[in-house]
Amino acid sequence: MTGKLGFGRRGAALFGLVAMAAAAAVPARAQRAEPCIGASWELTGPLANQGLMLRIAVETALDKINAAGGVLGRPLRLVIYDDVGEPARAVDNGRRIGERDNCVVMFGGARTPNAIALREPLAEMGLPWIGAISAGTGVIEHPNGRNEWMFRVSMKDRWVTQYLIEQAKARGPSGRIAFVYEGTAWGQGALPDIEAAARRAGVTLAGRETFNIGDQDMSAQMIRLRDAGVDTVVLWAVDRESANMLRSMDRIGWKPRIVSAWGLTTAFARAVGPLAEGIMVAGTFNWNGPLSPAAQAAFDAMKAKFPDRIRTTADMEQPSAMANAWDAVHIIAEALKIAGSYDRTRLRDAFFRVNYTGLVADYRPALIRGNQERMDAVLPEAYKLQAFHNGMLMPIEATPFATRTN
Amino acid sequence: MSPRAGPRIAVALMVAALALFPWTGDVLDTRWPTSYELRLVIRAMILAIVVIGLNILVGFAGLVSLGQAALMGLGGHVAALLALRADFPFAAAMVFAVALPAMMGAVLAFPTVRVRPLYLTVITIAFGFVFVNVLREWVGFTGGASGLASIPRPTILGEPLMAVRRTGFNLYYLIVLCLLLALWVQWALARSRYGRAMRASSQSENASRALGINIVAIRTLAFAISAGFAGLGGGLFANLALFINYETFTFSASIELLLMTILGGSGTLAGPLVGTTVLFTASQALQGLHEWQTFAYGLLLVLVLFLMPQGIVGGLAALRRRLAGRGMAERRTGAWPNFVPGFDAVASERDAAGQATLITRDLTLRFGGLTAVNRVGMEVASGTVHALIGPNGAGKSSVLNVVSGFYRATSGQVSLFGETLAGRAPHQLARAGVARSFQNTELFATMTVLENVLVGCHSRYRAGFFATILRTPRFRAEERGMLAEARMLLEVVGLTGFAEEQARNLPFGHQRRLEIARALAPRPKLLLLDEPAAGLTHGEIEELVALIRGLADRGMTVILVEHHVEMIMAVSDRVTVLDHGEVIADGPPAQVQADPRVIEAYFGRGAAQGMPAAAAHADVPA
Amino acid sequence: MEAVIQYLLTGLSVGSVYAMMGLGFYVMWSAAKAVNFTYGDIFMLGAVLTVVLMDIGIGLLPAALLAILASAAGAAAIERGFVRPFNREANAIGWMLTTIAVGTMLESSTTALFGSNPRMLPSPLAQEPIRLGGAGIYPQELLLPAALVVVTAALELFYRRTLLGRAMRAVAYNRTAAGLVGIDADRITLIAFALAGVLGALAGVLIGPVVQASSTMGAIIGLKGFMVAIIAGIANARGVVIAGLLYGVTEKFIEGYLSTAARDAIGFTLMVLLLLLFPQGLFGKKEFSKV
């Protein structure tokens, strides 16, 4: 938002400063980094579960890599700090990872603002960053066009909105589509993206409604949408508020079609029971469908390492993010092998040369230099539609909702 | 070693440590501190600035804010928006970042602190939520939840402000400077009439008002200052992070700031530094506990609050006092009254002799259906001792409370010093020359004896707020003068030996003496004494009589509410007797004593006199 | 029209929660001139413990009852351990901090043990809504205003008719004097906090089936309950109930006709304005400050 206003002169000045800062930081970076992945996740608070799920995926992946001799002959370890969901703490943690722990790479958490707050410190320290959740478009596509250090193995809101609008349009006979989003950076950030996507698809949004984290009743919003004749809702929210929204729909006896971004997980289905049936969710991966041997092995390893958390595939509560994180760790390992040493700049450069077949996609190449759009490794082609069926989030093909109505 | 040397050495060491910190690596030849450690120290310093402001509010003025983080956020967003949207230079943006939150603080405090201090807490909670909600939803202006990114890096003297070697760590030193400035303001405030008035108003509202302190103004000032510091911290934070969104300034951040204040020791000068350092370090050190770290943080707080309820610095100070074992036994109590030579000057601002100091006409006061004072007319001549007596519930104290402005008369007229007084507040009357004591002594319990008297001098200072904070020579001369006068008043009541003792530690009789000394500090023309002899020994009463007589002889008018008949006869020039809110007799003591109505009113009821009824005056905590 | 009915219905149900929380604050404040800032967490414990107890096979009603009793015991323990020792002086604020710290511990340990995800609290009354044209309400939500009426009436009776209740009023009126006539004010305060604990946990259990149980469900509710009690003047049970219901309904109408996103900003601003207009609270009596 801010970048668009005064990009020209200020952007250039900013770039100059960043470049100077980077130059000043060269002595620090020339030092060999440690074989560690530093992470700043939410370990406490309402989204603590996301941190936990990321930890399960990353630690298991590292175990597998280390069991095979590590990377460049050394075991790769994970250092985790809690950011309590707050940007200032995320930057503290980023500095700690980059300077004191001197890790070779940083692993991102869930929240988009935390990633945005890290833009400049990462560039200043020359510390590569890989995100597995935070999907905000601006995390990777910096307004100044000069992202050099931040990469993502996850979804990107600009692509997700387009994907969801297409799905909604394909399935909704009347085209009366509304957008419902949570009042967070993730939700608000998607609003301009969805407006653009709707324009491109020739759809006029019939309603835009928002609610706050912790809200327990969305009757007012649902009544407005129902009265506007909406029949398809594109949803941008996480489990708890979505469950409360479903309750509000149920209360007023309104049951529109819902296509959702990936905030909905099995916890949502547990909370609302049969109301979840048929709700569609975009994602990058699904563990409840048929699994490839590699995916099966990954799941078995996680189950073995965290037996009291992971018993069945339904316990993979962040299915897409866990698969993303699994792939991201492997991409880091591959890139380190190409770099040939624990050096951050060389690691960053090596990212552009990684070709790797992961759970989510075939990354060929994973990332492309000088193209901000392709500093996202997962392309829209890899997005998969899933749906809740009998309380489980299944690949859409495995549910009765696969057929399109038109 | 002089007692002042300790703190001075500590401050010098701290300044030296802060000044050298960025260069430690050059001395020790290691790569330390890294930008991580520098950032932590800078963040801690910024928080300390905010906590110092909160300490002025909580520790001095006794008010609690649970929205301090929002005020910090206001400063941060003002600085960020001005730089981002209006191209303001750094210094100009910072001026607004301090001024706007300070103004907001005044706006929030002014209407609320008058009623109940708790309301300020409630209002600040609400403000915090409204602030966060507005920031989040006003997407076009504040960036919404995504916040404001790419805030232009500030420059100073053409150099970018950064905490890196290339710029000589200029940002770091700027923040050190701000911290020292905050410490200075806190220190200067604590040792000034403003700081004393804040502490006094938190310990006894009534006594403060009776000494000429405008409670609403002083509390509003305290909150404005603390909000200004919050804004300063927020502005610095925005310029450090170059990214700002509401999540840094939520309710839980406000709680954390308050905890830092209390943990360090609210009201102490070093408390904010200690509290901030300990909690900030703890939040980093507890990172290893992963999902249990917030729990450990809470546990740590509870433990500290249990072990040191006055905070770390407060607890240590109490411990040191106990170890030093400075008992009361060695204190020498002086004889009183001791009308030292300089005292006449204090008591000399007399009302024009012969003129009636106080005239009431048809004075009536009703509480709901109860008539406490009914059409009372009395005249108190200047330079006399006028006793107001009567059985319990006769309305004596109510008359006193109307005259001193605490109650507003339902009807009737009161004129003081020749002027009609209608609805003037206690502090205005105090400034006009009315002083009073309280039936249940209302000392400022945790302030020293000397400070208690100095609070009495509050309204006589001429140096303004900025002169006080800057400690200009004129202010310092004035302060020295007041100090000398306060010491002289202690001499008069024989408490010189107790000057540095906390008032609550005084024996009861001494507390009465102190209250009178304090009431004399504003140089009143009219002194109202509400049962000053209650609880005193026979000998003490005789001394009190000598004091009152001495004051009247020097031209002061004294109105005395008392039960002690012997004392009244000895000291009064004139006596007014009230019963059931009405005047039943009025005249010289001997005449009144012989009046049958008085005898009936008094001796018809008998035993209950002599002792004030404590329960009737038990204060309902507001 | 059906929208108006909907806002009234849901407003009354959420307003009942605020009112019950406000009542709890009123009960605590009367007895101790201090409150328990973990009260939102007591509310949360009511719902979360019910889910946990049901997990180990206990039925809904006994589980709810046990959860409420356990939460009340917890509230009493908090009074004994963290309020009383820090509320000895007239203007003490220590209790504010200790209870906030304990609240932090309660919420974070619940997150660590129970998980950060919300869980369903299954109730037969929250399965099928009752529909009134285009509006609707779960029977569970109707239980809330009903429970509120019962609780308020019971509280009034308790305060007026029972010895314990009268003792509580005596302590509220004048703690020292109550002590002089032989009332153990400390014990009464403990019981008052436990009673408040019952109210808070009951509200949590009743709303849990509609909004799910989670470790963070109580934070905002607790604060709103506190604000409601203050706005009402915190010295009058019926006033607190009316203020709570009014605030709940007002919130829904703000959502319906002004803004859903800015609901709290508008609501809190309204509360602040009310407080400035009625410094003694909407239903408070003017106090004479005795000198």
Side-chain angles (χ1 to χ4, degrees), chain A residues 93-110:
Chain A
N93 294 341
R95 293 266 178 202
R96 189 170 187 171
I97 288 161
E99 294 276 9
R100 185 192 281 176
D101 300 328
N102 197 18
C103 287
V104 71
V105 63
M106 178 168 178
F107 210 97

Side-chain angles (χ1 to χ4, degrees), chain A residues 82 92 95 99 111 185 188, chain B residues 39 43 136 145 287 293:
Chain A
D82 187 8
D92 287 348
R95 293 266 178 202
E99 294 276 9
R111 300 220 186 199
Q188 291 179 347
Chain B
R39 178 182 160 86
R43 283 243 287 144
R136 196 178 51 215
Q287 281 275 10
Q293 60 171 300

Side-chain angles (χ1 to χ4, degrees), chain B residues 148-233:
Chain B
L148 297 168
S150 314
I151 300 168
R153 189 179 288 286
T155 56
I156 206 161
L157 307 174
E159 184 98 56
L161 263 179
M162 310 174 75
V164 296
R165 185 172 291 269
R166 190 167 44 76
T167 64
F169 301 101
N170 57 8
L171 176 63
Y172 173 86
Y173 285 112
L174 177 78
I175 290 172
V176 170
L177 210 63
C178 289
L179 177 64
L180 293 178
L181 179 85
L183 280 170
W184 169 274
V185 172
Q186 180 188 232
W187 175 77
L189 205 58
R191 292 163 48 92
S192 78
R193 63 161 168 154
Y194 295 102
R196 289 190 292 264
M198 286 174 194
R199 289 165 64 201
S201 69
S202 80
Q203 296 185 26
S204 168
E205 283 190 26
N206 288 337
S208 308
R209 290 151 83 197
L211 293 169
I213 293 170
N214 182 344
I215 300 254
V216 174
I218 200 78
R219 285 182 172 161
T220 303
L221 176 71
F223 195 47
I225 294 173
S226 90
F229 277 123
L232 175 63

Side-chain angles (χ1 to χ4, degrees), chain C residues 155-197:
Chain C
L155 197 66
E156 291 263 317
L157 274 181
F158 169 76
Y159 270 133
R160 279 170 204 285
R161 297 289 166 77
T162 66
L163 199 60
L164 189 61
R166 287 179 181 158
M168 225 172 254
R169 275 166 67 207
V171 170
Y173 186 71
N174 188 328
R175 197 177 179 90
T176 323
L180 290 177
V181 298
I183 296 172
D184 182 348
D186 280 349
R187 210 186 102 229
I188 295 293
T189 309
L190 186 82
I191 295 172
F193 272 62
L195 184 63

Side-chain angles (χ1 to χ4, degrees), chain B residues 66-133:
Chain B
L66 279 174
Q68 210 66 7
L71 289 163
M72 183 183 175
L74 182 61
H77 279 81
V78 167
L81 285 167
L82 287 178
L84 204 56
R85 304 245 198 273
D87 287 324
F88 267 51
F90 172 70
M94 285 305 292
V95 168
F96 282 95
V98 174
L100 278 178
M103 264 148 55
M104 181 46 100
V107 168
L108 290 176
F110 178 71
T112 48
V113 292
R114 178 177 43 190
V115 191
R116 280 185 193 176
L118 179 67
Y119 279 10
L120 183 72
T121 311
V122 174
I123 296 268
T124 52
I125 293 176
F127 171 72
F129 277 93
V130 173
F131 176 76
V132 162
N133 199 221

Side-chain angles (χ1 to χ4, degrees), chain A residues 41-43 47-60 107 133 265-266 270 302 306 308-310 313-323 325-326, chain C residues 116-117:
Chain A
W41 294 335
E42 233 166 316
L43 302 172
L47 293 185
N49 201 52
Q50 298 193 339
L52 177 68
M53 291 296 141
L54 282 177
R55 199 184 123 208
I56 289 173
V58 172
E59 282 191 353
T60 312
F107 210 97
I133 300 188
T265 69
T266 33
R270 275 204 294 271
M302 290 186 222
F306 295 91
D308 47 340
R309 287 290 182 174
I310 306 293
T313 51
D315 294 327
M316 308 284 280
E317 287 178 356
Q318 297 285 328
S320 297
M322 292 173 90
W326 180 272
Chain C
S116 68
N117 276 335

Side-chain angles (χ1 to χ4, degrees), chain A residues 215 224 226 247 250 317, chain C residues 117 126 131 134 138 255 263:
Chain A
D215 276 6
R224 283 196 290 264
R226 181 192 62 186
R247 287 274 182 188
D250 185 37
E317 287 178 356
Chain C
N117 276 335
R131 297 249 162 75
Y138 290 108
E255 286 183 350
R263 175 199 59 220

